[in-house]
Amino acid sequence: KRRAAAAERARGATGRPSTAEQFRISTELLDASAQYQEGLRRLAAGNARGALEQLQFAADIEPKPLTRAHLAWARHLVDPERHARLALTELADVVRADPGCARAHFFTGEILRSQGAWAEAEEAYRRAHKADPSDRRAQELALEAMRRKKVAK
C-alpha cells in the first residue's frame, strides 16, 4: 500500500501515468521464454488456438526443440484432421534436431494413438520414456498401446 501511495504521489494529483510510464517499451514481446510460458498456460487452459499463436512467437524468436514440439502439438489440437500430418512432420524434424526431446516423442505418440496407429504410438511412447525416465505417463501409454496392438491382431 505504501508503494502504491508513493507511486501515486510521484505521478502527481492528475492520476495519469508519467511520460516515462506511457512510453516504456514492453520487452516481454521479444522474450521467448515469456511467450513459451504463456503458450503453455493457454494449452493448459484448453485454448489451443491462443497457445498456437504464443508458441509460434516463441519459436520465431528462439526455435528451441521443446518450443517447436509444443508448437506442433498445439497445431494438431487446433484441427486434428487437417494438421495431424503437418504436426507429425514438425515433430520428426524436432526429433532429428534433438533425439532426446521427450515431449516430441510423447506428442508423436499422442497423435499416432489418436489415429489408431498403435504399434507406432507404442514405439513413440517408449522413446519418450527412454528420453525421460521420470515420465510415468509415457510408460503407461506405451503399455496401453501394446495391449491395444495385441487385441487388434
Side-chain angles (χ1 to χ4, degrees), residues 7 9 16 26 45 58 81 88 116 121 134 143:
R9 281 193 305 272
R16 291 188 212 159
S26 175
E81 282 80 37
L88 286 172
S134 67
L143 292 172

Side-chain angles (χ1 to χ4, degrees), residues 3 7 16 20 45 49 77 106 116 133 148:
R3 288 183 186 166
R16 291 188 212 159
R49 193 170 301 282
L77 291 177
F106 184 81
R148 296 267 180 124

Side-chain angles (χ1 to χ4, degrees), residues 6-109:
E8 185 67 30
R9 281 193 305 272
R11 275 189 267 184
T14 63
R16 291 188 212 159
S18 70
T19 304
E21 289 174 341
Q22 288 178 359
F23 295 105
R24 185 178 64 230
I25 296 172
S26 175
T27 59
E28 187 175 291
L29 296 175
L30 298 176
D31 183 9
S33 69
Q35 298 292 337
Y36 174 73
Q37 291 301 322
E38 178 63 19
L40 292 183
R41 190 186 67 71
R42 289 182 183 191
L43 265 180
N47 180 2
R49 193 170 301 282
L52 176 66
E53 181 179 297
Q54 294 299 312
L55 292 167
Q56 184 66 58
F57 288 149
D60 288 346
I61 296 167
E62 192 174 352
K64 292 181 179 178
L66 190 58
T67 304
R68 292 175 48 216
H70 278 94
L71 173 64
W73 177 241
R75 188 180 317 284
H76 170 72
L77 291 177
V78 167
D79 190 352
E81 282 80 37
R82 288 185 36 206
H83 295 145
R85 184 176 291 140
L86 176 60
L88 286 172
T89 302
E90 290 176 353
L91 289 167
D93 291 343
V94 171
V95 168
R96 268 192 294 282
D98 181 11
C101 184
R103 285 281 108 186
H105 292 295
F106 184 81
F107 292 146
T108 299

Side-chain angles (χ1 to χ4, degrees), residues 119-138:
E120 294 88 350
E122 177 192 359
E123 183 59 33
Y125 288 133
R126 288 192 187 284
R127 287 191 305 264
H129 182 67
K130 184 178 179 184
D132 181 9
S134 67
D135 187 1
R136 289 282 187 223
R137 182 81 176 130

